[in-house]
């Protein structure tokens, strides 16, 4: 079971890295995405890969 936890942690860390290194139209979008991913980790990660990655510039 701990292996699945490590995979989840790695995906979560990659999501935060991807949000931080992405280029956005303005800084407020980046802050909003960081807050979404940090405060709601599972749902925020799914939302980032489904919605957020297409919205960045």
């Amino acid at each position: 079971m701990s292996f699945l936890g490590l995979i989840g942690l790695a995906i979560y860390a990659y999501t935060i890295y991807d949000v931080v290194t992405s280029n956005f139209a303005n800084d407020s979008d980046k802050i909003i995405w960081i807050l979404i991913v940090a405060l709601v980790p599972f749902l925020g990660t799914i939302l980032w890969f489904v919605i957020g990655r297409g919205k960045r510039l």
Side-chain angles (χ1 to χ4, degrees), residues 7-44:
I7 291 174
L9 182 64
I11 292 171
Y12 179 64
Y14 176 74
T15 303
I16 292 176
Y17 171 78
D18 197 30
V19 171
V20 169
T21 59
S22 295
N23 294 324
F24 289 92
N26 55 32
D27 289 332
S28 64
D29 289 344
K30 183 181 283 194
I31 292 170
I32 290 169
W33 274 110
I34 290 171
L35 287 174
I36 290 171
V37 171
L39 295 177
V40 190
F42 182 71
L43 183 60

Side-chain angles (χ1 to χ4, degrees), residues 6 26 35 38 46 56:
L6 288 175
N26 55 32
L35 287 174
I46 292 171
R56 64 184 182 174

